[in-house]
Amino acid sequence: MGRSVWRQPGFALLWAGEGTSQLGAQLAGLAMPIVAVTMLQATDAEMGYLNAAQTAAFLVVGLPAGAWLDRMRKRHVMIAADLVRALAVAVVPLLAVLGRLELWHLVVVGAIVGVATVFFDVGYQSFVPVLVADEHVGDANGVLEATAQTMRLGGPALAGVLLSFLAAPLVLLANVAGFLVSVVALSGIRDGEVVRPRSERRHLLVEIGEGLRFVAANDLLRRIVATVALSNLGSTIVFTLLPIAILRILGIDPAVYGIILSIGAVGGLAGSMLAMRIARWIGEGPAIVWSTVVFVLAGVLLPLAVLVPDAAVVLLIVGEAIFGFTVLVFNIVQVTARQRLCPKPLLGRMNASIRTVVWGVMPIGALAAGGLGTAIGTVPAMWVGVAIGALAIPPFLLSPLRTMRSLPTRPRGAEEMVAEV
């Protein structure tokens, strides 16, 4: 039996850096919408612009980012991305203290952070198989996602406490601190990654094309892209408008909002811890299929909560918990399958190709949320998002994945074949 994932060199530092970065991100994830809705009186359309700015980078630079990452040491790129994010987020509390903060500042900061996040996230998903032996990749993903969910569990509650005596922009300083701690931790890793020499590189467009063709030629990856893209499009519409529904329509206090998200995150924590066990129990294919069905159905509870104010808090908690549990099961199993399937020289481009599509729909969803919310109202627009998310079910439910206990892995010698292209 192989060594524990905790004994893989550098993994503990990656885990520590990710944990603190995730905690800061959770504080920011609650503070930014509160700043927009309560301090700057953002409309539905303006919330759409803000969310679009935060996610547009995957649509704009996602593909070249993957090709560039396959030419560079991924850890160095992640460190640079953390530094850029820390500097950008620090601008918000500074402008707030000076009394100069406006909504367009949040949009610009969101766009800058979004670009840096493209490079960090593609690098991060491509770095795990570099740092960890193949047999531990699934366990490593589970540990890192469990940590992220722990931060999602405690982060919003901590934000709620901080918001009771600090202005929302100042809570963003914790986000800055998280990015800086991540920089320190990543700087201590000695991964030994060797990048391809310049003599083996081809034109950037050729290398981008290799990643796209790899994804397009694989049935499993095509179905993952279709399902996640439709789910993200629908859920972005719902979650873009959710702060307005909770804070303005229901009138729930920001501190209570944070507690709702923290209690709901228990489901995500459980999903991250049980994902690989569930995959081993019912099979990897069925785990992906049925988690998709359930997280789509759980999304119904979020707009329903606005229609039943007396039960709103309970419905929000249950909806968040079920959604978090099943999304984490889905993500851990399918990301692990992708990492095992793809030759390592193509990891950056494969991940970037997929994320360009599945995250590229998110700014479209955010703008659609703003337009729909303005045209037909916040809650009806959320129901449109739920309906679009339901379209994510057929690509998996009507596929051979329903009976596949083990998903395919990269063929022996795949790295050599890529190197010879």
Side-chain angles (χ1 to χ4, degrees):
M1 186 174 180
R3 293 182 297 170
S4 163
V5 67
W6 289 105
R7 297 180 61 193
Q8 298 287 291
F11 179 74
L13 285 172
L14 177 63
W15 168 79
E18 276 303 291
T20 51
S21 181
Q22 285 287 344
L23 178 59
Q26 290 307 307
L27 299 179
L30 186 64
M32 287 279 274
I34 290 174
V35 170
V37 173
T38 63
M39 289 184 59
L40 304 177
Q41 302 302 311
T43 64
D44 288 32
E46 287 170 334
M47 289 299 289
Y49 301 147
L50 177 59
N51 254 16
Q54 292 172 330
T55 54
F58 270 99
L59 189 59
V60 177
V61 300
L63 288 175
W68 284 324
L69 272 157
D70 281 338
R71 297 177 172 191
M72 296 182 282
R73 292 189 64 184
K74 296 169 183 62
R75 182 174 62 88
H76 292 177
V77 175
M78 292 159 65
I79 290 171
D82 270 338
L83 288 172
V84 170
R85 293 191 290 185
L87 290 171
V89 173
V91 170
V92 176
L94 176 61
L95 289 173
V97 169
L98 295 175
R100 298 293 185 87
L101 184 64
E102 298 179 22
L103 188 72
W104 72 267
H105 294 134
L106 296 185
V107 172
V108 172
V109 168
I112 294 171
V113 171
V115 172
T117 298
V118 169
F119 284 90
F120 186 92
D121 282 3
V122 174
Y124 162 71
Q125 286 198 340
S126 306
F127 185 59
V128 171
V130 172
L131 189 65
V132 174
D134 281 355
E135 64 267 27
H136 293 302
V137 166
D139 291 333
N141 287 329
V143 168
L144 293 171
E145 286 296 343
T147 303
Q149 282 303 308
T150 301
M151 297 305 107
R152 292 185 184 110
L153 177 62
L158 177 59
V161 172
L162 293 174
L163 285 165
S164 65
F165 60 88
L166 285 178
L170 297 180
V171 175
L172 293 171
L173 292 175
N175 189 200
V176 175
F179 288 141
L180 295 178
V181 171
S182 179
V183 167
V184 173
L186 290 171
S187 297
I189 296 175
R190 298 293 176 264
D191 55 86
E193 181 182 13
V194 178
V195 298
R196 286 180 299 152
R198 289 182 179 273
S199 60
E200 295 182 10
R201 299 175 188 171
R202 293 167 302 286
H203 191 278
L204 187 68
L205 291 178
V206 174
E207 296 193 346
I208 290 173
E210 288 176 1
L212 288 170
R213 285 193 298 274
F214 180 80
V215 173
N218 187 278
D219 181 64
L220 170 62
L221 297 183
R222 288 198 305 270
R223 291 180 186 275
I224 287 173
V225 169
T227 292
V228 180
L230 288 166
S231 172
N232 281 353
L233 180 61
S235 63
T236 298
I237 294 174
V238 173
F239 285 105
T240 296
L241 299 173
L242 190 61
I244 290 178
I246 291 176
L247 298 170
R248 189 172 295 162
I249 297 176
L250 290 172
I252 292 175
D253 186 85
V256 177
Y257 181 24
I259 293 171
I260 288 171
L261 295 180
S262 285
I263 296 175
V266 172
L269 176 61
S272 63
M273 296 174 67
L274 297 174
M276 296 312 294
R277 292 186 188 180
I278 291 172
R280 287 189 283 266
W281 176 40
I282 66 174
E284 293 175 342
I288 290 177
V289 171
W290 294 111
S291 60
T292 303
V293 173
V294 178
F295 74 64
V296 168
L297 295 177
V300 173
L301 298 179
L302 303 181
L304 182 63
V306 187
L307 302 180
V308 191
D310 291 342
V313 172
V314 173
L315 289 172
L316 288 168
I317 290 172
V318 173
E320 290 276 358
I322 297 175
F323 187 85
F325 180 91
T326 47
V327 164
L328 264 293
V329 171
F330 172 82
N331 278 340
I332 290 173
V333 177
Q334 65 93 0
V335 167
T336 299
R338 281 160 45 187
Q339 291 169 335
R340 292 194 322 238
L341 178 65
C342 183
K344 290 183 179 179
L346 273 173
L347 279 167
R349 284 166 284 170
M350 178 273 293
N351 284 322
S353 297
I354 291 176
R355 287 215 164 192
T356 296
V357 179
V358 304
W359 283 50
V361 301
M362 293 172 74
I364 298 171
L367 294 175
L372 287 168
T374 302
I376 64 177
T378 301
V379 178
M382 292 172 70
W383 283 114
V384 172
V386 170
I388 292 173
L391 299 175
I393 295 176
F396 279 155
L397 195 60
L398 304 177
S399 77
L401 283 171
R402 290 181 295 110
T403 58
M404 294 177 64
R405 290 199 58 83
S406 297
L407 297 179
T409 60
R410 72 178 73 94
R412 190 180 300 274
E415 277 75 14
E416 288 77 5
M417 287 188 289
V418 171
E420 292 170 1
V421 172

